[in-house]
Amino acid sequence: MKEYKYKINGNTYKVAVGDIDDNIAQVEVNGIPYKVELERAAAPVKVVNKPRAAAAPRTASGEKVIAKPAAAPAGGFVVKAPLPGVILSISVKVGDTVKAADTVAMLEAMKMENAIRAGRDGKVTAINAQPGNSVLEGAAIITIE
């Protein structure tokens, strides 16, 4: 039997724990024997291992496949993504006239919304990204002439 001393509200108790059969324990408190029913143990938790991510795809020569920002079209000013993220919205259409300080798109990056401004006055000639698209830093979003 294992013996323990407890002090509860200033009273000292001498507790001896004896055999435990199934879920019934033989306990003696200050010399008085008790049969104590223990809670049944919960079913063991099944641990599920997450599958590992697959390796990045590679070309036939063994180089990694990485999407590169689109090349800037000739003859226009390109509004580029300042950092990698997801396009939330595009607030202009092809043919719209914009001022340099106008917000033309919203980009979500690192759980923050970033307003993408036109950067110069002009007319929107192309929209190179759509809401929901993931873009890399430097990717062309809108072309202004």
Side-chain angles (χ1 to χ4, degrees):
M1 277 192 165
K2 290 192 174 191
E3 293 189 10
Y4 305 93
K5 287 187 180 179
Y6 295 102
K7 194 169 200 175
I8 302 172
N9 294 331
N11 297 325
T12 303
Y13 296 92
K14 186 177 177 183
V15 179
V17 179
D19 295 332
I20 299 174
D21 185 27
D22 197 20
N23 68 326
I24 304 294
Q26 302 295 328
V27 178
E28 192 174 291
V29 180
N30 290 341
I32 302 171
Y34 294 96
K35 288 186 179 183
V36 178
E37 184 177 348
L38 305 173
E39 286 187 21
R40 295 243 180 228
V45 177
K46 184 177 180 181
V47 177
V48 178
N49 293 330
K50 291 183 181 178
R52 297 183 90 188
R58 295 185 180 266
T59 62
S61 64
E63 295 177 22
K64 291 182 182 178
V65 175
I66 298 175
K68 301 229 179 338
F77 175 78
V78 178
V79 178
K80 296 180 181 181
L83 64 164
V86 176
I87 301 292
L88 293 178
S89 65
I90 303 285
S91 55
V92 294
K93 299 181 299 259
V94 174
D96 287 354
T97 302
V98 293
K99 299 283 184 194
D102 290 350
T103 299
V104 294
M106 290 297 286
L107 175 79
E108 180 184 14
M110 297 179 282
K111 298 187 180 186
M112 293 183 64
E113 291 183 7
N114 300 281
I116 308 299
R117 308 231 186 268
R120 84 172 222 194
D121 296 350
K123 183 177 176 183
V124 176
T125 58
I127 297 176
N128 306 319
Q130 299 301 319
N133 287 8
S134 292
V135 294
L136 293 175
E137 180 178 354
I141 299 174
I142 294 173
T143 304
I144 300 173
E145 224 175 59

